[in-house]
Amino acid sequence: MSKEYKNFVMSKVKSGTEIASNMSPDEAHLIHMAMGVAGEAGELLDCIKKHTMYKKPLDLDNLIEELGDLEFYMEGIRYAVGIPREATIVANLTKLTKRYPKRYTNKDAQERADKQ
């Protein structure tokens, strides 16, 4: 079954050659920035994990470094598509104010009033 599944997958995926030949430099930049966000989010999570799960002192220097790295990649995305940081903050404030009119509740999180 594993060989059959491998063949199935390989018959469905887009080749790296096709991806690269159809990707513009701007798209490559966006992918790079998004991969950076994902990688740095993992590093941030690891920092928090060590503190909460392993009961190590919170490494504030590392926490600040990872938050800064996330800011770097997010700014790279915002700049590439012409969205000022303030616009993302305003959009987030608007969304969360609608979703949580008073404060966070599980009910409000599940109902997601901002999506209706």
Side-chain angles (χ1 to χ4, degrees), residues 31 60 109 113:
I31 287 290
L60 288 177

Side-chain angles (χ1 to χ4, degrees), residues 28-108:
H29 171 74
L30 280 174
I31 287 290
H32 177 220
M33 294 295 104
M35 289 185 330
V37 168
E40 296 303 333
E43 292 183 27
L44 175 67
L45 182 59
D46 192 56
C47 176
I48 300 295
K49 175 192 75 178
K50 288 174 181 173
H51 174 63
T52 59
M53 298 295 147
Y54 305 154
K55 302 305 179 197
K56 291 184 174 184
L58 183 59
D59 184 345
L60 288 177
D61 289 337
N62 182 241
L63 182 65
I64 291 167
E65 178 183 332
E66 302 311 339
L67 289 170
D69 290 344
L70 280 163
E71 286 286 346
F72 175 88
Y73 287 112
M74 290 188 304
E75 184 62 24
I77 292 170
R78 288 189 295 258
Y79 179 80
V81 298
I83 299 172
R85 184 171 188 261
E86 294 74 21
T88 61
I89 292 170
V90 168
N92 186 254
L93 284 168
T94 301
K95 174 186 83 171
L96 295 180
T97 299
K98 188 170 184 180
R99 186 178 297 178
Y100 307 111
K102 294 182 182 174
R103 62 176 190 80
Y104 174 90
T105 67
N106 288 342
K107 181 178 182 284
D108 289 340

